[in-house]
Amino acid sequence: SRVDISALRQHLVDMDNVTLHAEVTTLPVDNGARFDVTSADPGVTASIRAMVTAHAAAMDGANGWTMQASEIPGGAELTVTGADEDRIRGLGFFGLLAVGMHHQAHHWAIATGRNPHNP
């Protein structure tokens, strides 16, 4: 009764949209980087906003990094700062999305109808 495979599918679509169809501009900031993630396609823009804001909320504080997200025209911006700015900049936007061991639990929470960001 708690299974929500369509929500998991939508999340996977969002992941595909962001990784394959979004444009990312990287700007250095003190102690890190800001990533402007955008698209002219409204479907991709919706995916960007869903993924970036959720990832920032889930990962803020991990690795001693501060992650803040906000909506911008066509998408969202993600600012990541911390003591290890070379690692932040080296990983880049897509590398930062893959940091951490939360993905399996995150996907399972979605598939079983739970909020993966507030279990």
Side-chain angles (χ1 to χ4, degrees), residues 2-119:
R2 293 180 58 184
V3 173
D4 192 348
I5 297 303
S6 21
L8 177 60
R9 181 182 183 281
Q10 182 56 54
H11 176 69
L12 297 173
V13 168
D14 288 342
M15 289 176 59
D16 182 75
N17 279 341
V18 171
T19 57
L20 298 179
H21 305 292
E23 305 223 4
V24 179
T25 302
T26 304
L27 303 160
V29 299
D30 289 341
N31 300 314
R34 184 179 95 206
F35 305 96
D36 290 350
V37 188
T38 59
S39 174
D41 179 321
V44 176
T45 297
S47 293
I48 291 166
R49 290 178 175 159
M51 291 283 299
V52 171
T53 56
H55 191 73
M59 296 301 292
D60 187 36
N63 300 314
W65 298 337
T66 299
M67 290 193 181
Q68 297 177 321
S70 61
E71 290 187 9
I72 59 173
E77 71 177 25
L78 175 68
T79 302
V80 183
T81 57
D84 195 0
E85 71 184 71
D86 290 337
R87 184 168 182 225
I88 293 167
R89 291 178 185 165
L91 285 168
F93 174 72
F94 297 107
L96 289 166
L97 287 182
V99 168
M101 295 296 294
H102 68 285
H103 291 98
Q104 290 170 322
H106 173 82
H107 290 169
W108 184 250
I110 292 170
T112 55
R114 294 176 312 191
N115 181 337
H117 306 112
N118 292 317

